[in-house]
Amino acid sequence: MTNYPVTITIAPQAEPRNRLTTALRPILAIPHAILAGPVYCSSRTGGAGLLGAAAYAMAIVSWFTLLIMGVQFRGIRDFSMYYLRWRTRALAYMALFVDPYPPFGDEPYPATIEVRDPAQPRDSATIAVRLLLVLPHLVVLCVLLLAWLITTVIAWFAILFTRSYPPSLYRFGIGVMRWGLRVEAYLLLLVDDYPPFTLD
């Protein structure tokens, strides 16, 4: 969906894939999982890690400032974007979409996210009920994340044996990742446009 204000881009990974880093991926990804959250989890913040926990706490502050003053503090928005950029890189690595190890900080990486600033003034009506509005997405994502977990395990074995990520599983996985990150940007009050129900 090209008009949606959240864009996730993952550069295609050259073949053949790296068997060694793929085999060790569950271990190598641990530091990033602690900071930016694992791919699959069931905690209240969606398993967003230490950075995500801080970003979601700041989103509560933004919820009040947006409703009372109509503004989101730039520092909070910048930190939320820093978290989402880190999370995008970490998820792409953990989900086997890319092989390079993610940087600890903001550095170039083959997985990126861009979020356009929302129109002003902000939509206070949807902000007030944001948690209720996002519930249908959370229900659908629970099912999609379970399917993504299964397809990622299949892809892990496929890469180990064939050094290739099955294209259909790759497209599905990236679609679920995009969907989840759009919902996170919406929950963090970075955008007001309702996320689409699509893997595109």
Side-chain angles (χ1 to χ4, degrees), residues 34-45:
I34 292 170
L35 291 168
V39 177
Y40 316 103
C41 44
S42 59
S43 72
R44 278 190 233 172
T45 61

Side-chain angles (χ1 to χ4, degrees), residues 83-95:
Y83 156 68
L84 276 185
R85 287 192 299 270
W86 195 315
R87 182 144 171 85
T88 300
R89 294 188 296 262
L91 286 176
Y93 181 72
M94 289 185 274

Side-chain angles (χ1 to χ4, degrees), residues 4 14 26 65 92 118-119 134 136 145 148 151 165 200:
Y4 195 72
T65 63
V134 82
L145 288 174
W148 189 22
T151 60
Y165 199 123
D200 295 331

Side-chain angles (χ1 to χ4, degrees), residues 23-124:
L24 299 175
R25 193 69 49 100
I27 297 169
L28 295 173
I30 289 173
H32 286 284
I34 292 170
L35 291 168
V39 177
Y40 316 103
C41 44
S42 59
S43 72
R44 278 190 233 172
T45 61
L50 297 176
L51 292 173
Y56 279 95
M58 291 181 194
I60 296 171
V61 175
S62 287
W63 187 79
F64 284 104
T65 63
L66 282 164
L67 290 180
I68 296 169
M69 299 182 288
V71 297
Q72 182 178 41
F73 295 139
R74 177 50 62 178
I76 291 178
R77 185 175 182 82
D78 289 345
F79 182 83
S80 296
M81 281 305 308
Y82 178 75
Y83 156 68
L84 276 185
R85 287 192 299 270
W86 195 315
R87 182 144 171 85
T88 300
R89 294 188 296 262
L91 286 176
Y93 181 72
M94 289 185 274
L96 309 172
F97 299 143
V98 294
D99 285 337
Y101 196 74
F104 285 91
D106 264 339
E107 294 177 26
Y109 194 71
T112 61
I113 184 171
E114 294 180 17
V115 179
R116 290 197 312 267
D117 287 344
Q120 299 296 330
R122 298 292 300 270
D123 187 351
S124 58

